[in-house]
Amino acid sequence: MKKTGILIEMENKRVKDTTLGMITLAARADTDLYALVLDGMDDPACDILARYGITTVVDLGLSFSPEMRLNPAVRAKAATQAAQKLQLDVIFGLSSADGKDLIPRVAALLDAPLVMDCLDVDLEKNIARTSHYSGKVLADIQLSGDVVIFGIRPNAVQPVPSPAQPQKIKMASDSAAVAGLALVSWDDGENGGQASLAEADIIIAGGRGLKNSDNFSLIFDCAKKMHAAVGASRVAVDEGWVPYAFQVGQTGEKVSPQVYIACGISGSIQHFAGMKTARMIIAVNKDENAAIMANCDYHVQGDLFEILPELIRQL
Amino acid sequence: MQIYVCIKHVPDSAANIHILDDIRIDEKVAFLLNPYDEHAVTEAAAVKKKVQDSEIIAVCLGRPDAEKTIRSAMAMGADRGILVETDDVCDSMTTARALHAAIVQDGSADIIFTGKESIDSEGMQTQFRIGALFDFPVVTNAATFDIASGRAVVTCELSGGRTRTFELAMPCVVGAGRGLNTPGYPTFPDVVKARKKPIKTIALDSLAITPAAGSAKTVALTPLVQNRHPKKITGTPADQAKEIIRILRQEAKVLA
Ligand SMILES: Cc1cc2nc3c(=O)[nH]c(=O)nc-3n(C[C@H](O)[C@H](O)[C@H](O)COP(=O)(O)OP(=O)(O)OC[C@H]3O[C@@H](n4cnc5c(N)ncnc54)[C@H](O)[C@@H]3O)c2cc1C
Ligand SMILES: Nc1ncnc2c1ncn2[C@@H]1O[C@H](COP(=O)(O)O)[C@@H](O)[C@H]1O
């Protein structure tokens, strides 16, 4: 049977739901599932991995010193060594912000083929579906090699429980520093508590229609009430209303939430490049002819300055 | 210092992409310098301003008409260009091998700048593969770049305003993010000067690279058609808000 290693992403010591979705995707194939745990293992984490079908939980034994554990080169080295020791055939990781700095490192160290940002993977044929040309085209890419690697877009697949009784093993990672790359400081941002954009179930995003940074608080207030993450168009970022980290689009974050609510955003090609795979799109715009109004599931024609306060009030 | 910048010739992000026989796109669209690579060239030019006797070399693997994109990089500050010519679409493993071989053949790199990703194939990996081939440290999505005591100090952006600051031994590979700088429009004299700068053309075959054991092959391309059928939410703002909440609760099931 094939062996698939899954790089486990956690947040506040909990296995992320998006990680579980990735396990569900891998479990569609006939394969043993190895959870590669980088951030320390405890019983609750093991239990949840067991509930979603992991057959072996592997603690990569990374050092707890943040300089080491947060260093992507150290993480990549540990994952690479585990892949070699376990003789994995396939590696899955989340194509999240952290994953984009980890998975390609593993691929480069193993000199193995990789597709990032996969919306789907057929492990029988090693064909992944991903986006090309700023999200305008879906590409099916077939990998061949001793090990093949896939970065899975967060939320591409919803987690489905499939209980298993995993074995546990611990690897001794050599925690020696990786030559040449030292992590000297890190900042986990003011929005530590806010749902990460790429992984949120609901995103509410604002664009030029908000008119200034004060008004943008309407978006934040609404987001708070519905536990949504906040997104923005490039105009809102360029105007300095919100930091670049909020930008959705071709040159921003690519997201696939359950629901994307676009307020005062016209729906340019470049904005769509970042959110067209959302399951549901709701557009709030005063212009019936805005591109987004023809390319959404629900459109609310009206003034966002009237609709958003109502939403906040009723939530 | 010898600063190499890897630049890719890509279709304009605003172009309509048409697919031919399932695995190719119609290339009769405007091509330009990959937007993230503009940040890479801009940063190289900024380093050159600070470090005397620096030379910037733009390296591109692409079709013969990628020369235009090398000229754009030159108008933005590159001194020379290297075009590794091929009509094939190469995967990242081959691309990295070609860029690595072309740089080794040309000189000795102190810094290699790349973009954090190309907007056509959205691979997000070539910088890491180049780094592994040279055994140089790599960072990606760089937002600030400095050199202090012979080491590169780079702050990289993660999501949600999170950042990581690294010190890299040089030579190193740095993947530029959008926060790194603001590329300017080249002036007309810069464009004229760029026409006279030298470009060395190398056939991919002549580099005789050792192929990778594995490969990534595009087997099908399909346009991403949006099959959405917009429904209108009408009424007063209060009605509209109420309906949005109902949809979030009952249809999308994302609200309790
Ligand atoms: C290389 C490149 C990369 C790019 N990358 C990105 C990217 O990653 N992300 C991105 O977003 N853009 C990107 N862009 C920019 C993109 O082309 C658009 O300019 C941008 O998306 C427009 O932002 P907007 O929708 O907020 O503004 P506009 O297009 O100006 O739309 C504003 C909308 O608000 C509506 N509106 C105004 N007032 C109200 C009101 N009171 N109530 C309701 N509706 C109202 C208007 O009807 C209009 O539809 C990129 C461009 C280029 C060239
Ligand atoms: N054909 C190419 N020629 C030159 N540079 C390239 C090429 N392909 C990728 N790169 C560089 O590698 C970066 C990442 O590309 P990718 O891995 O395709 O997303 C790009 O921003 C470029 O700097």
Side-chain angles (χ1 to χ4, degrees):
Chain A
M1 192 142 57
K2 262 196 202 177
K3 292 181 180 176
T4 302
I6 297 173
L7 293 160
I8 303 298
E9 260 195 46
M10 305 215 229
E11 192 164 43
N12 304 324
K13 298 202 159 176
R14 273 196 58 233
V15 178
K16 291 183 176 178
D17 289 347
T18 46
T19 299
L20 301 176
M22 169 169 73
I23 300 174
T24 298
L25 175 58
R28 284 183 194 161
D30 195 15
T31 175
D32 280 331
L33 297 172
Y34 290 75
L36 307 176
V37 180
L38 294 138
D39 296 296
M41 196 155 68
D42 56 13
D43 289 339
C46 270
D47 291 347
I48 190 105
L49 292 171
R51 202 170 322 140
Y52 286 84
I54 289 292
T55 40
T56 309
V57 181
V58 187
D59 184 347
L60 299 190
L62 277 175
S63 152
F64 278 98
S65 113
E67 286 83 357
M68 297 293 293
R69 198 173 46 79
L70 297 178
N71 183 331
V74 172
R75 296 168 80 80
K77 193 171 157 195
T80 302
Q81 288 171 345
Q84 285 165 333
K85 270 188 214 149
L86 299 166
Q87 296 180 305
L88 297 178
D89 304 293
V90 183
I91 301 172
F92 270 28
L94 278 180
S95 205
S96 59
D98 295 77
K100 286 175 191 170
D101 201 3
L102 172 64
I103 307 164
R105 288 180 192 274
V106 176
L109 289 171
L110 293 170
D111 198 16
L114 160 70
V115 188
M116 287 296 281
D117 217 15
C118 302
L119 297 163
D120 202 359
V121 179
D122 173 353
L123 276 182
E124 305 304 330
K125 300 195 187 105
N126 286 338
I127 294 179
R129 174 156 277 204
T130 186
S131 91
H132 267 17
Y133 303 103
S134 311
K136 277 174 273 189
V137 172
L138 289 174
D140 292 337
I141 301 187
Q142 185 158 38
L143 300 187
S144 68
D146 294 338
V147 192
V148 294
I149 308 182
F150 302 95
I152 312 298
R153 182 179 290 195
N155 283 328
V157 177
Q158 290 305 302
V160 180
S162 156
Q165 256 117 36
Q167 258 186 286
K168 291 181 203 176
I169 52 181
K170 183 160 174 149
M171 297 240 153
S173 97
D174 83 58
S175 318
V178 171
L181 185 73
L183 177 65
V184 290
S185 64
W186 55 93
D187 178 352
D188 283 328
E190 299 156 30
N191 308 307
Q194 197 206 275
S196 129
L197 199 51
E199 310 188 31
D201 277 339
I202 316 178
I203 294 173
I204 177 160
R208 195 197 303 272
L210 269 298
K211 296 199 170 61
N212 60 47
S213 77
D214 285 347
N215 292 339
F216 215 93
S217 65
L218 280 174
I219 300 285
F220 282 99
D221 292 347
C222 228
K224 209 183 229 163
K225 291 260 175 132
M226 48 195 182
H227 304 289
V230 173
S233 74
R234 170 142 161 195
V235 169
V237 171
D238 286 349
E239 293 288 333
W241 303 341
V242 288
Y244 168 59
F246 290 81
Q247 184 177 316
V248 171
Q250 179 207 309
T251 44
E253 204 78 42
K254 307 239 167 55
V255 298
S256 298
Q258 299 292 318
V259 182
Y260 189 88
I261 309 176
C263 307
I265 291 178
S266 61
S268 63
I269 286 188
Q270 293 94 347
H271 191 78
F272 259 101
M275 40 62 88
K276 70 204 296 183
T277 55
R279 248 175 217 123
M280 178 190 283
I281 299 173
I282 303 178
V284 179
N285 200 301
K286 67 177 181 192
D287 177 7
E288 181 172 23
N289 297 316
I292 198 157
M293 301 297 253
N295 237 328
C296 61
D297 300 286
Y298 287 100
H299 61 92
V300 188
Q301 195 201 337
D303 187 345
L304 65 88
F305 293 111
E306 293 177 10
I307 295 162
L308 289 181
E310 272 299 332
L311 256 181
I312 295 166
R313 198 178 59 78
Q314 293 183 29
L315 276 162
Chain B
M1 231 173 346
Q2 285 220 295
I3 308 171
Y4 288 85
V5 186
C6 300
I7 57 166
K8 193 173 183 188
H9 183 60
V10 299
D12 185 341
S13 67
N16 283 318
I17 302 289
H18 296 287
I19 294 163
L20 307 175
D21 42 84
D22 290 347
I23 54 162
R24 288 183 309 128
I25 64 155
D26 182 352
E27 293 185 334
K28 280 190 255 87
V29 292
F31 273 69
L32 36 70
L33 176 55
N34 182 42
Y36 293 106
D37 305 352
E38 289 186 356
H39 294 280
V41 180
T42 303
E43 200 59 25
V47 173
K48 181 176 164 167
K49 267 207 184 121
K50 285 187 247 169
V51 184
Q52 287 200 337
D53 296 324
S54 292
E55 188 189 26
I56 303 173
I57 306 107
V59 196
C60 176
L61 168 73
R63 307 185 321 234
D65 71 330
E67 182 191 329
K68 274 192 310 216
T69 283
I70 297 183
R71 297 277 171 213
S72 309
M74 289 171 157
M76 296 177 74
D79 300 299
R80 295 195 279 124
I82 302 174
L83 173 59
V84 181
E85 249 184 40
T86 178
D87 284 322
D88 297 343
V89 177
C90 299
D91 66 19
S92 312
M93 292 191 287
T94 307
T95 301
R97 281 168 163 73
L99 297 171
H100 169 256
I103 294 172
V104 168
Q105 193 186 71
D106 186 74
S108 129
D110 294 291
I111 310 172
I112 301 172
F113 282 110
T114 73
K116 77 160 175 137
E117 78 181 86
S118 51
I119 63 160
D120 54 352
S121 59
E122 303 180 26
M124 313 177 196
Q125 54 188 274
T126 309
Q127 60 275 43
F128 295 102
R129 297 192 186 277
I130 295 171
L133 291 167
F134 276 105
D135 200 16
F136 293 168
V138 186
V139 288
T140 199
N141 204 14
T144 70
F145 178 87
D146 270 304
I147 298 173
S149 324
R151 291 169 79 82
V153 181
V154 189
T155 298
C156 299
E157 288 184 302
L158 292 173
S159 59
R162 291 180 303 140
T163 62
R164 302 280 183 259
T165 301
F166 298 99
E167 257 182 38
L168 290 81
M170 291 179 41
C172 61
V173 181
V174 177
R178 207 173 82 84
L180 189 57
N181 50 44
T182 313
Y185 285 104
T187 62
F188 183 68
D190 288 337
V191 174
V192 173
K193 257 195 270 166
R195 285 188 204 140
K196 302 202 183 94
K197 292 181 179 174
I199 295 180
K200 173 165 79 181
T201 301
I202 309 172
L204 175 59
D205 296 340
S206 77
L207 285 173
I209 54 178
T210 320
S215 68
K217 218 173 111 199
T218 303
V219 291
L221 296 178
T222 37
L224 203 170
V225 276
Q226 291 276 1
N227 242 338
R228 302 191 193 261
H229 304 286
K231 284 186 223 129
K232 199 166 177 166
I233 300 177
T234 54
T236 64
D239 296 339
Q240 291 174 322
K242 193 171 164 206
E243 177 63 2
I244 292 174
I245 294 170
R246 188 198 63 78
I247 290 165
L248 294 178
R249 288 212 173 104
Q250 294 176 11
E251 287 183 30
K253 300 193 169 63
V254 287
L255 276 188

